[in-house]
Amino acid sequence: MNEITIGTTLQVYDSIEELSTDIKDLMNKAIEARENAYAPYSKFNVGAALQLDNNEVIIGSNQENASYPSGLCAERTAIYYSGAKYPKAKILKMAISASSQNQVTDKPIPPCGSCRQAIAEYEIKQKQPIEIYFMGAKGKVVKSESLANLLPLLFDNSVL
Ligand SMILES: [Zn+2]
C-alpha cells in the first residue's frame, strides 16, 4: 500500500477591492446576477459571470423549483447558456458570488461538486483552463487558476 497526497494552491484576496479592474468588473456582474436569483426555497442567492474569449460576458443565477432537484445552480445556468449561445467561444474566467438572505455571507463560497464536474467538462472541451474567482457577499475572494485545482481525481471522458 502506498499513500498519495493531493494538494492545491489557491490565491486569496482580502476583498474585491484587491482584484484587477477586469476581474472586479466581472465579479460585479456576478453580484448583479446574484441579486436576481430565484431562490425562494434555500434563500441562498448565487450569481455567476463568465468572461468569454469573444469579449462577451454571460451571467447566470440559481433557479430553484418546488421540486428541488429540478432547480439549477448559478454556475451551471451560466455555463450551459454560454455553451448554447456561443458554442465555439472559450471561457476564460468565471466569477461567483453567493449571499444568504438570512445571514451575512462573508466566507468565499466555492462551486458545489456538481458544478465543478460541469465546469470541468468545458475546461477539457476547450483545452484551456478556466480561472475561477469566488466570494460570499463580502470579504475575501479566492482565485483558482483552473477548475482542475478544485476537483482532484476528476472523472473525464478518457475512461469511456
Ligand atoms: Zn452548483
Side-chain angles (χ1 to χ4, degrees):
M1 192 277 281
N2 292 313
E3 276 187 357
I4 56 169
T5 301
I6 299 168
T8 197
T9 303
L10 304 171
Q11 285 81 46
V12 182
Y13 299 84
D14 280 337
S15 78
I16 191 172
E17 299 307 322
E18 213 183 307
L19 300 171
S20 62
T21 306
D22 60 328
I23 302 301
K24 196 167 150 184
D25 288 350
L26 193 64
M27 187 59 85
N28 278 324
K29 291 193 170 101
I31 290 168
E32 202 178 305
R34 185 193 83 204
E35 286 163 3
N36 293 322
Y38 178 61
Y41 305 106
S42 72
K43 312 278 188 205
F44 194 74
N45 291 35
V46 185
L50 310 179
Q51 176 65 58
L52 308 186
D53 68 348
N54 62 4
N55 288 323
E56 296 289 338
V57 172
I58 296 286
I59 56 120
S61 58
N62 50 328
Q63 300 295 317
E64 297 184 349
N65 194 284
S67 171
Y68 287 13
S70 298
L72 195 63
C73 299
E75 298 91 322
R76 276 178 286 163
T77 300
I79 209 156
Y80 291 156
Y81 180 37
S82 170
K85 187 160 189 189
Y86 299 110
K88 295 192 174 136
K90 289 186 176 179
I91 301 160
L92 304 178
K93 300 171 170 64
M94 172 182 263
I96 305 161
S97 174
S99 178
S100 169
Q101 295 170 27
N102 300 320
Q103 58 185 324
V104 178
T105 307
D106 54 6
K107 292 194 303 199
I109 306 296
C112 78
S114 294
C115 286
R116 292 181 205 196
Q117 184 69 38
I119 299 164
E121 183 74 22
Y122 288 80
E123 200 168 84
I124 293 163
K125 175 187 162 206
Q126 69 182 25
K127 300 183 178 71
Q128 187 175 312
I130 300 172
E131 280 179 23
I132 301 176
Y133 298 79
F134 55 90
M135 67 180 296
K138 61 176 195 175
K140 294 185 190 310
V141 181
V142 174
K143 173 190 178 188
S144 175
E145 297 277 358
S146 164
L147 183 279
N149 293 339
L150 301 176
L151 193 60
L153 304 179
L154 168 69
F155 178 85
D156 67 29
N157 58 13
S158 65
V159 297
L160 298 179

